[in-house]
Amino acid sequence: MTLDQIGEWIEEGRRLLATTRLTPPGHSALLVVEAPDADAEARLAALFRDLWMPESEIIKAELSPQGLATFLRQPAPARPERREIVLVFGAAELPAEARAWAFRQLNYQRERLRERGALFVFWLQPELIPELMEHAGDLYSRLSGFFRFPLPADPLERERALRTMAVALRAPRKSPADLPAA
């Protein structure tokens, strides 16, 4: 893992934060975050949840034959001034046939997702992206953003990368006017 790689992940994180913050409350967006495994999904989600929390309502939903359908039947939160961000997990845990069915259901329900007025963040592992494209092509074509975080498998390197990302993403970004004169 190099500093350039961490820098790329920080920039990707800034793009994700900007996308979510620039989407007004009550407007919908479909985002995919690619992470190498369930641990990386959970750790990245925790990092971004902390960054989104002050101004957003964070909801966790499972991508399962019942999970998202049950969620979509629930009323939207009664706080229109807060952005609703729905973190959707669990695709990798589903058997292939159930996952294909769930992706097809997402495709069929894409208008309900849009009508919900929420940002849906689908956490997927790289090998599942082609399945999403195959079974939910219309949904995939409506993505508002795709973000890749190929974190290292080594636990110490992963921890270092996540800590560095957390510090960088929490720090105010310097504008050119804030930089020292040459």
Side-chain angles (χ1 to χ4, degrees), residues 54-142:
E55 66 232 19
S56 301
E57 187 81 27
I58 308 296
I59 299 165
K60 183 177 175 186
E62 290 296 320
L63 181 65
S64 67
Q66 303 82 16
L68 210 51
T70 301
F71 169 77
L72 287 172
R73 285 192 293 271
Q74 296 173 359
R79 297 178 72 180
E81 74 282 358
R82 288 177 55 107
R83 185 176 298 107
E84 182 183 27
I85 300 177
V86 182
L87 308 179
V88 184
F89 297 96
E93 288 77 34
L94 292 173
E97 191 173 303
R99 187 170 50 244
W101 185 89
F103 285 156
R104 283 192 300 274
Q105 291 306 307
L106 280 175
N107 204 46
Y108 300 142
Q109 298 287 333
R110 65 186 179 276
E111 286 305 314
R112 289 189 73 190
L113 295 174
R114 186 187 60 75
E115 291 166 1
R116 177 67 185 235
L119 284 100
F120 288 88
V121 183
F122 296 92
W123 298 83
L124 299 174
Q125 295 169 23
E127 62 275 10
L128 301 182
I129 303 303
E131 290 182 40
L132 176 67
M133 292 169 63
E134 177 184 347
H135 299 294
D138 293 331
L139 177 84
Y140 189 83
S141 71
R142 292 186 176 190

Side-chain angles (χ1 to χ4, degrees), residues 14-91:
R14 287 184 176 136
R15 279 187 344 98
L16 175 57
L17 289 172
T19 300
T20 56
R21 289 180 176 150
L22 292 173
T23 303
H27 287 74
S28 66
L30 301 170
L31 310 175
V32 168
V33 176
E34 180 186 299
D37 53 49
D39 174 69
E41 289 175 359
R43 308 256 325 261
L44 285 163
L47 168 63
F48 286 104
R49 185 175 36 243
D50 289 347
L51 295 166
W52 287 323
M53 275 308 274
E55 66 232 19
S56 301
E57 187 81 27
I58 308 296
I59 299 165
K60 183 177 175 186
E62 290 296 320
L63 181 65
S64 67
Q66 303 82 16
L68 210 51
T70 301
F71 169 77
L72 287 172
R73 285 192 293 271
Q74 296 173 359
R79 297 178 72 180
E81 74 282 358
R82 288 177 55 107
R83 185 176 298 107
E84 182 183 27
I85 300 177
V86 182
L87 308 179
V88 184
F89 297 96

Side-chain angles (χ1 to χ4, degrees), residues 1 5-6 9 36-37 39-40 149-159 161-162:
M1 176 182 64
Q5 288 172 312
I6 295 173
W9 302 331
D37 53 49
D39 174 69
F149 296 95
L151 298 177
D154 177 82
L156 293 176
E157 286 188 7
R158 180 174 287 183
E159 182 64 30
L162 287 166

